Amino acid sequence: MSIELSLKVQQQIDSVWRARTFETLQRMREAGASEVDLQSTLDHQQKLRRHALAQFKAWIENGWGDGVRAA
């Protein structure tokens, strides 16, 4: 997998994470969630993001992305 494509995928993971996290926190605020609940959810979402990026990195390092081509 090219470095360009790898960076694009990582940017996509970040973009999706930001959008979903914002939507989740916004819904929680509208429902009257406490600041503690909001922070807990944000912490959990950050953990999920780090996990997704680590999985992608492992996928690339193991050579599984060699057959993937940019569209």
Side-chain angles (χ1 to χ4, degrees), residues 4-41:
E4 268 184 39
L5 182 56
S6 176
L7 289 173
K8 286 180 183 180
V9 171
Q10 290 180 45
Q11 289 170 343
Q12 185 65 26
I13 290 170
D14 278 340
S15 177
V16 169
W17 176 81
R18 280 190 301 274
R20 289 187 178 170
T21 300
F22 177 80
E23 291 168 4
T24 298
L25 294 175
Q26 188 63 30
R27 283 194 312 270
M28 288 177 68
R29 268 191 204 101
E30 291 169 357
S34 71
E35 288 299 316
V36 171
D37 289 337
L38 292 170
Q39 186 61 52
S40 176
T41 299

Side-chain angles (χ1 to χ4, degrees), residues 56-68:
F56 177 71
K57 183 178 178 185
W59 183 68
I60 294 301
E61 288 174 353
N62 288 322
W64 299 339
D66 291 343
V68 177

